[in-house]
Amino acid sequence: AQTVTQSQPEMSVQEAETVTLSCTYDTSENNYYLFWYKQPPSRQMILVIRQEAYKQQNATENRFSVNFQKAAKSFSLKISDSQLGDTAMYFCAFMYSNTGNQFYFGTGTSLTVIP
Amino acid sequence: NAGVTQTPKFQVLKTGQSMTLQCAQDMNHEYMSWYRQDPGMGLRLIHYSVGAGITDQGEVPNGYNVSRSTTEDFPLRLLSAAPSQTSVYFCASRKLAGGDEQYFGPGTRLTVT
């Protein structure tokens, strides 16, 4: 079974500072996708960023970027210039490239941005 | 587009009661799935479907049934509710090809007493 590990159950960061959330995964496959989802108190799951394993370049979306280390099976999320609206639960997820395969989620990191 | 819709948003059941959680999507996605979210355990897959008439079990299928008679709808049935099924339930959908993201519904908070 696929495992995704988020080792930081809770984190906090001062507003405008930078924070990094860690995620590791276990697979013997070469082709897969990785995702970070955000779940604010509204409970809605929102995609933050997506990375294809065959791409060496790290994905970036505005203030959000990833550090994808394929050999180390690590996929951390960096949030720059943290804002109060970034307060949420963040989930790392993994999906094989084969169509129809499921997502595997980590247990989440609760991030609080402190004013 | 409404995206993925779920009803109800909240539900309280007594042990032994049955009910159906509704899920619909208007994006013509082939793949639909149900997850449950429990504190400290992330999202766990209950059942999924890759198209009308095709369903399969996920990680935690016991106590739940699904069917997929149309592309749009994917209801989740609790056959005989148990307190262990108290959870938040999410429906999600995505295109099958291309590693597309999953789009999630707003969730249903279910309490079984």
Side-chain angles (χ1 to χ4, degrees), chain B residues 56-111:
Chain B
D56 206 346
Q57 297 181 351
E59 182 185 354
V60 289
N62 292 343
Y64 307 95
N65 271 359
V66 292
S67 59
R68 184 97 179 269
S69 56
T70 66
T71 299
E72 294 78 19
D73 300 298
F74 191 45
L76 177 73
R77 297 183 191 83
L78 279 71
L79 308 172
S80 177
S84 61
Q85 293 178 305
T86 293
S87 188
V88 178
Y89 291 85
F90 287 95
C91 180
S93 74
R94 66 177 175 88
K95 291 187 291 189
L96 264 185
D100 197 24
E101 66 173 287
Q102 284 203 99
Y103 295 82
F104 286 83
T108 296
R109 181 175 292 279
L110 175 69
T111 302

Side-chain angles (χ1 to χ4, degrees), chain A residues 3-115:
Chain A
T3 58
V4 178
T5 302
Q6 294 180 249
S7 58
Q8 306 150 314
E10 294 181 0
M11 293 189 73
S12 62
V13 62
Q14 293 285 341
E15 195 175 2
E17 297 294 309
T18 296
V19 64
T20 299
L21 281 58
S22 66
C23 172
T24 59
Y25 56 93
D26 183 25
T27 184
S28 57
E29 298 290 328
N30 200 40
N31 295 319
Y32 49 87
Y33 298 89
L34 294 160
F35 305 82
W36 277 99
Y37 276 87
K38 170 185 176 180
Q39 186 182 42
S42 67
R43 207 167 66 196
Q44 181 68 50
M45 294 284 286
I46 303 162
L47 179 70
V48 175
I49 202 162
R50 171 179 173 272
Q51 174 81 43
E52 292 135 326
Y54 65 85
K55 287 188 177 178
Q56 292 187 341
Q57 187 173 5
N58 290 326
T60 299
E61 287 288 343
N62 301 315
R63 298 182 296 108
F64 298 88
S65 61
V66 299
N67 183 4
F68 173 47
Q69 301 288 329
K70 191 171 184 179
K73 297 178 186 175
S74 170
F75 183 60
S76 60
L77 175 70
K78 186 171 86 169
I79 306 174
S80 304
D81 185 25
S82 297
Q83 300 176 359
L84 296 178
D86 296 334
T87 291
M89 196 76 161
Y90 287 82
F91 291 98
C92 178
F94 172 104
M95 189 191 81
Y96 289 111
S97 293
N98 295 334
T99 58
N101 273 305
Q102 63 191 65
F103 274 53
Y104 297 88
F105 285 89
T107 52
T109 296
S110 177
L111 176 68
T112 301
V113 180
I114 302 165

Side-chain angles (χ1 to χ4, degrees), chain B residues 1-5 23-32 68 71-74 91-94 103:
Chain B
N1 285 352
V4 180
T5 58
C23 174
Q25 53 94 7
D26 61 358
M27 296 173 282
N28 204 32
H29 287 166
E30 303 96 335
Y31 185 96
M32 296 186 74
R68 184 97 179 269
T71 299
E72 294 78 19
D73 300 298
F74 191 45
C91 180
S93 74
R94 66 177 175 88
Y103 295 82

